[in-house]
Structures are given as structure tokens and as C-alpha cells.
Amino acid sequence: MSHNPHSQEGVESVTILGTGPAGLTAAIYAARANLKPLVAEGEQPGGQLTITTEVENYPGFADGVLGPELMANFRKQSERFGTRFIQGNVVKADLAKRPFTLEFADGRVVKTQTLIISTGASAKWIGLPSERKLLGKGVSSCATCDGFFFRNLDIAVVGGGDTAMEEATFLTRFAKSVTVIHRRDTLRASKIMQEKAQKNPKIKFVWNAAIEEILGEKEVEGVRIRDLVKNETYDLPFKGVFVAIGHEPNTRLFQGQLKLDAAGYLLTEAGSTRTNIPGVFAAGDVADHVYRQAITAAGTGCMAAIDAERYLESGEA
Ligand code: NAP
């Protein structure tokens, strides 16, 4: 692949937002195309895989690999070909004028001819004031990060999907009991994960239950539940509450500038990573609510780098 013939003084050719599998794969490909990509690390360097343990379905690792180790290798590989990194978060993006302008929290400004958005998705919250107040004081969204703190305690997991089943099963390693609290009477999770959780003697289920409040002043003491069938409330005691109700895409910066779907995911043209603004591309979970896998994120990251390179070659920038 050739060097961008249209490079401009003080303007980046390719800037990539995010350092999960999508962003770092885009970086590897853009760097190997001699585009010297600049990568903004984002809020959670390495992305969601840094808060998992064993990854068993990433092809090429027959015996599995630890998430953080996999991401460290992605990064090393991208650095080998000249990727540069910039720490921190972008707080403003102006995509109306070319080159595009990105402003970081500390005031630094980056101008770029192309932008690859791979900012991923973050855990969703119920949205209760008490949940926010007790975050880190018994409320968590990451069993692999915080499960250890709940040794021999009773904890609750909120949600009925695969994430909730996975978190609940994992937490039984530490907890005395795990209670899955779900708003309906059937789970959304895949059969295999449901069965695994239902067979686990430490896991109980509370059905048709909406959390109205997380109880406790300085730390979690329980939850107030509304029984959605009887329309009554009751309290259950817990020392920890793990919220596992899905994810939302990190697209706030681009609202009003790029086309998003109803759930806030970036929309791309079918079969490409192009957004509605030429020169802006999207890869990974930020544009994917269907597959959400490390391998699919890496695949679209590769596509985005190739799309960006072709765009620069076309002279449109
Ligand atoms: P999900 O499938 O969207 O499930 C979210 C769950 O949370 C649903 O049961 C939903 O209830 C509930 N929920 C949503 N908003 C809620 C709210 N405000 N209050 C209470 N409950 C709420 O999300 P996910 O479990 O994170 O899974 C996402 C994707 O990743 C899926 O495709 C899944 O298969 C995949 N995944 C796979 C694995 C694995 O294979 N190892 C592990 C984790 C995730 P309703 O059912 O009533 O809508």
C-alpha cells in the first residue's frame, strides 16, 4: 500500500478513537499503509476485553488467551509499524469542516483528514439516583473487576441476558449466594448459558421484578423490588448489586453530526464502514449491536483502515 499523497502540514492523515480490537486493528492496517495513524486511547484503554478474563473464542489462540494480554499484543503490533498514541478523551468533535477538528479534555486540538470512530460501548445502568450514589460501594457492572470483594456475601445480578448469566455464574466463585433479578418471567439469554446458571446451586432467580431503589447510605444493604405482577414492593438484603442489562454505544460526541440508529449506534453504509460524512468511518461495537465480538470488531477495524486509505487516495480529503 502506498503513502497518502495528499498529506497536509500539521494535519493527521488518520486519527482513530479508541483502543479496543477495532481501533487497534485499524491502527495496524493504517500504519502498514504508511499513514502514521494517531490513536486516542479513550476512557478505558484496551476496551472491554481488559475487564474480562479468559477469551476462548478468538481464533488463533487454541488454548485461550487472557483479555488484557490479547489487547497488549494488539497494541504492541500496532506500535511496531509506527502507530502513535495520545492519552485522554476527546470532548468535542467538529465534523462539519475539513480537516475535522478534535478537542481533548486538556485543551489539545488535533486536525485530521480522516477519522475512524471505534469508541465501543459501555455498560448500561438502571438510572436510579441510589445506583449512582452507591457506585463502587457495592454497585458494580463488572464481575471480573469487583467480584473478589464479595467473598461469602449475598449479591444480586440485575438482567436476564447472556451478560447477566455470565456475571452470575462467575460471581458464584466468590459469593455465598447470587440472586438474578429479572423484569420478566423468561430469560433472554442463550439456552446454554441459561442452563448453566439454572443448574448452579448458588444461583436463585427473582422474576417479574423491577428494582425501584438500591438501599443503603454508605454501602449497599439491599434492593427495593416492585413485583410487576402483584404491583407490590418488598426489600431484599444484599451486599452487592451487579447491573448487567446490556450496553450502550459511546456516540454522545457525534449526536447531531452523524446518523445514529434509534439505540444510538452509528449507522454505516451496507458492506462498508463509511458513515454519512465522507472521511469519517465507524468500526467495532460503536456501530454493531448485533455481533459485538472481538473478532468482528477487529474485522471492521481492518475495513475502516482500508476505507480510509482509499478515501485519501481518491483525493477527496
Ligand atoms: P441483552 O441481550 O440486551 O440483555 C439485556 C437484559 O437486561 C435483558 O434481559 C433485558 O430485559 C434486561 N434489561 C435491559 N434494560 C433493563 C432495565 N432498564 N432494567 C432492567 N432490566 C433491563 O444484553 P447482554 O446480556 O449484555 O448481551 C448482549 C449481547 O452480547 C448478546 O448478543 C449476547 O448474546 C452477547 N453476549 C455473549 C456472551 C457469551 O456468549 N459469552 C456473554 C455476554 C454477552 P428483557 O429481557 O426484558 O429485555
Side-chain angles (χ1 to χ4, degrees):
M1 292 191 185
S2 59
H3 182 61
N4 166 30
H6 303 282
S7 58
Q8 300 164 13
E9 190 75 19
V11 178
E12 299 294 334
S13 298
V14 179
T15 302
I16 298 166
L17 304 185
T19 43
L24 291 177
T25 303
I28 292 166
Y29 274 78
R32 286 182 50 77
N34 230 348
L35 295 170
K36 301 183 172 53
L38 179 70
V39 179
E41 289 192 342
E43 206 160 305
Q44 191 178 350
Q48 291 183 63
L49 281 188
T50 58
I51 55 166
T52 57
T53 47
E54 194 81 6
V55 180
E56 295 193 316
N57 54 9
Y58 200 85
F61 295 87
D63 300 320
V65 57
L66 293 175
E69 188 186 325
L70 181 61
M71 292 325 298
N73 276 332
F74 268 66
R75 181 168 174 141
K76 220 162 109 194
Q77 192 174 354
S78 76
E79 281 172 334
R80 198 174 125 211
F81 302 111
T83 299
R84 292 158 303 135
F85 288 87
I86 180 167
Q87 281 182 343
N89 266 336
V90 172
V91 290
K92 222 168 129 195
D94 182 357
L95 308 180
K97 288 190 299 291
R98 278 156 216 284
F100 307 125
T101 306
L102 304 169
E103 203 180 306
F104 284 75
D106 62 4
R108 282 171 302 176
V109 169
V110 167
K111 292 199 176 288
T112 189
Q113 288 177 288
T114 66
L115 179 66
I116 295 176
I117 302 170
S118 40
T119 46
S122 302
K124 249 167 62 177
W125 296 100
I126 305 169
L128 302 167
S130 51
E131 171 189 52
R132 183 176 279 266
K133 182 181 79 182
L134 294 165
L135 186 64
K137 296 167 184 151
V139 173
S140 169
S141 70
C142 176
T144 48
C145 317
D146 300 327
F148 185 78
F149 301 115
F150 297 88
R151 204 169 277 282
N152 284 324
L153 298 174
D154 296 314
I155 55 189
V157 170
V158 186
D162 279 339
T163 301
M165 295 310 107
E166 191 172 64
E167 300 268 277
T169 305
F170 179 79
L171 287 167
T172 58
R173 292 190 199 183
F174 313 100
K176 185 158 91 190
S177 77
V178 177
T179 303
V180 173
I181 300 174
H182 183 37
R183 63 183 178 184
R184 293 185 296 130
D185 63 357
T186 48
L187 295 170
R188 181 178 293 280
S190 57
K191 267 255 147 8
I192 186 164
M193 306 217 16
Q194 287 192 29
E195 279 170 11
K196 200 169 167 195
Q198 277 163 343
K199 271 193 207 140
N200 190 317
K202 279 192 176 179
I203 299 180
K204 296 182 258 186
F205 290 84
V206 173
W207 305 108
N208 302 310
I211 309 251
E212 282 206 339
E213 199 180 339
I214 300 177
L215 307 170
E217 275 311 309
K218 294 217 161 64
E219 54 183 41
V220 169
E221 285 164 15
V223 293
R224 178 151 305 145
I225 287 173
R226 177 165 296 275
D227 182 317
L228 295 170
V229 176
K230 295 184 187 146
N231 201 21
E232 291 166 2
T233 60
Y234 58 97
D235 296 352
L236 288 178
F238 296 109
K239 285 293 181 195
V241 176
F242 285 80
V243 179
I245 58 173
H247 293 84
E248 58 194 354
N250 297 318
T251 51
R252 211 175 325 122
L253 271 182
F254 311 108
Q255 277 168 9
Q257 302 196 70
L258 291 174
K259 281 190 186 152
L260 310 176
D261 72 7
Y265 288 84
L266 286 175
L267 285 172
T268 52
E269 277 175 30
S272 104
T273 63
R274 287 191 291 267
T275 67
N276 60 300
I277 296 184
V280 180
F281 307 90
D285 285 10
V286 75
D288 170 22
H289 60 94
V290 179
Y291 302 105
R292 299 192 249 199
Q293 301 300 306
I295 186 67
T296 50
T300 52
C302 162
M303 288 165 64
I306 293 174
D307 287 342
E309 196 215 357
R310 291 194 178 147
Y311 171 81
L312 289 166
E313 287 285 339
S314 75
E316 278 183 71

